[in-house]
Amino acid sequence: MPDKTSPLRRRFLGTAAISIAAAELALTGLARAQSGPKQSASVAGAATSNASFRTIKQINAGALNIGYAESGPHTGPVVILLHGWPYDIHSFADVAPLLTAAGYRVIVPHLRGYGTTRFLSANTPRNGQQSVVAVDIIALMDALKIQTAIITGFDWGARTACIIAALWPERCKALVSVSGYLIGNQEAGKHPLPPTAEHNWWYQFYFATERGQEGYDKNRYDFAKLIWQTASPKWNFDATTFDRSAASLDNPDHVSVVIHNYRWRLGLAAGEPQYDDLEKRLATSPVITVPTITLEGDANGAPHPEPASYRDKFSGKYAQRTIAGGIGHNLPQEAPKAFSDAVIEVASY
């Protein structure tokens, strides 16, 4: 993993990016819009800002010491916001104030391998299989004494939210999932897709090689920027916005967790035996019974299923929304009002 002289770390020196070791983050320019075209009021309410979470808390939970942002009244209904790859908690920097203003207690954790989240033991496998990330969030809820919450997310975060809703519905009051039902299984991953679809997953094949692991480690900043650009082709994010989140990838476990995640999906890396039963349950594509809203951007450049393909995976009260205005994969950050509105709506189901 990179040391203090790594190219990634040098790139952040002298910038306003987050120091991974820091527990305090500056709150910068909440109302200052980033450069690029503004979204319409009906979509996002305002252009995305360069706001940061003021304070990052730390708590031991399961195998991790988890870094998380928290805002809103302690007695308010809880919303957990889960980010994806290669993003971080700042995907929700403009969502959190909207939910806090509506009276919610908002929890935004760094997933394993991101930001200030650390493994408690050097001997714990740097596992990225899908079920273990959900187990992390259940452990976080237990540590914070949160019995139930509205669970939301995109990318890895949406998959994790879906898994919690499917396996622990008693802990999930309602679900907001970008790109719908994302629970996978290794068996399905063994079967080839049409060439165009395979082309969209190029980085999975790259990560399957030692060259890919070394290349991602050495070039994770530029790699992440490429993913941001292709996944959200109409989002004109600025350097400050990107640097703020990319700093979270300078985590000592990041590369190991990411590489394991994608190799596990293809059946090229084993999971941990204690999660086998959970994966067997997930391999059946369990139906989600909790109230759900699924969201999709009209310009999502990342591989994603069509909404009609997962409609029958939700048996509770359900709505699907396609957010217009050139909204890509990082929907919470590109359309924060649309995302927060979905959270508030699903809470009323």
Side-chain angles (χ1 to χ4, degrees):
M1 312 306 292
D3 60 19
K4 292 183 179 179
T5 61
S6 71
L8 176 66
R9 194 177 296 273
R10 288 198 302 270
R11 189 184 291 267
F12 291 124
L13 291 177
T15 73
I18 305 166
S19 170
I20 293 300
E24 293 292 318
L25 298 179
L27 184 64
T28 59
L30 182 60
R32 187 173 67 248
Q34 80 172 65
S35 61
K38 291 186 178 182
Q39 300 161 350
S40 67
S42 62
V43 173
T48 52
S49 75
N50 286 320
S52 291
F53 293 102
R54 183 180 298 276
T55 300
I56 298 300
K57 300 180 179 181
Q58 300 291 141
I59 192 168
N60 288 349
L64 303 172
N65 177 263
I66 295 179
Y68 67 100
E70 180 174 6
S71 61
H74 192 78
T75 57
V78 180
V79 179
I80 298 176
L81 309 174
L82 302 175
H83 69 83
W85 171 85
Y87 306 92
D88 84 329
I89 62 174
H90 288 96
S91 290
F92 302 101
D94 295 302
V95 172
L98 296 173
L99 293 175
T100 296
Y104 290 90
R105 180 186 178 191
V106 180
I107 307 291
V108 196
H110 281 293
L111 301 186
R112 58 170 53 199
Y114 296 80
T116 59
T117 293
R118 296 290 187 270
F119 286 86
L120 294 173
S121 171
N123 297 323
T124 302
R126 273 39 179 175
N127 181 355
Q129 72 184 101
Q130 62 177 354
S131 61
V132 76
V133 185
V135 169
D136 291 342
I137 303 307
I138 293 294
L140 175 64
M141 293 175 69
D142 290 343
L144 294 174
K145 297 180 170 53
I146 296 170
Q147 182 56 39
T148 186
I150 300 169
I151 313 231
T152 78
F154 74 104
D155 196 84
W156 287 24
R159 178 173 295 107
T160 301
C162 286
I163 290 171
I164 293 171
L167 298 186
W168 295 280
E170 72 281 3
R171 309 299 298 272
C172 184
K173 181 179 184 293
L175 169 69
V176 175
S177 176
V178 176
S179 297
Y181 188 93
L182 296 180
I183 297 173
N185 66 76
Q186 288 179 309
E187 190 60 36
K190 295 177 182 178
H191 301 293
L193 299 171
T196 300
E198 296 284 20
H199 176 266
N200 291 335
W201 289 114
W202 66 271
Y203 53 87
Q204 290 202 23
F205 301 110
Y206 182 64
F207 288 164
T209 68
E210 293 308 302
R211 173 191 175 103
Q213 179 166 351
E214 181 180 355
Y216 184 53
D217 192 6
K218 289 182 176 179
N219 303 292
R220 64 183 93 170
Y221 182 98
D222 292 330
F223 198 105
K225 180 174 281 188
L226 175 62
I227 296 297
W228 279 41
Q229 291 168 337
T230 57
S232 298
K234 297 185 178 182
W235 182 33
N236 294 318
F237 57 87
D238 62 16
T240 301
T241 298
F242 178 74
D243 288 351
R244 181 187 57 184
S245 287
S248 291
L249 311 184
D250 196 26
N251 176 297
D253 303 303
H254 177 74
V255 172
S256 296
V257 170
V258 169
I259 295 299
H260 185 267
N261 175 283
Y262 288 106
R263 289 183 181 178
W264 179 88
R265 294 193 203 187
L266 295 175
L268 301 176
E272 293 181 81
Q274 63 264 40
Y275 304 115
D276 285 352
D277 287 344
L278 296 179
E279 296 296 348
K280 287 177 182 177
R281 293 170 63 188
L282 295 173
T284 67
S285 299
V287 170
I288 291 173
T289 60
V290 306
T292 299
I293 292 177
T294 58
L295 300 173
E296 188 57 83
D298 66 339
N300 186 357
H304 61 278
E306 291 300 319
S309 70
Y310 52 71
R311 173 60 187 92
D312 63 355
K313 294 300 181 184
F314 301 96
S315 65
K317 189 169 182 180
Y318 173 80
Q320 196 278 328
R321 308 270 188 264
T322 297
I323 310 304
I327 304 304
H329 189 59
N330 186 2
L331 190 150
Q333 194 163 7
E334 298 175 62
K337 187 174 186 302
F339 191 88
S340 62
D341 284 350
V343 173
I344 293 168
E345 179 183 347
V346 81
S348 69
Y349 283 5

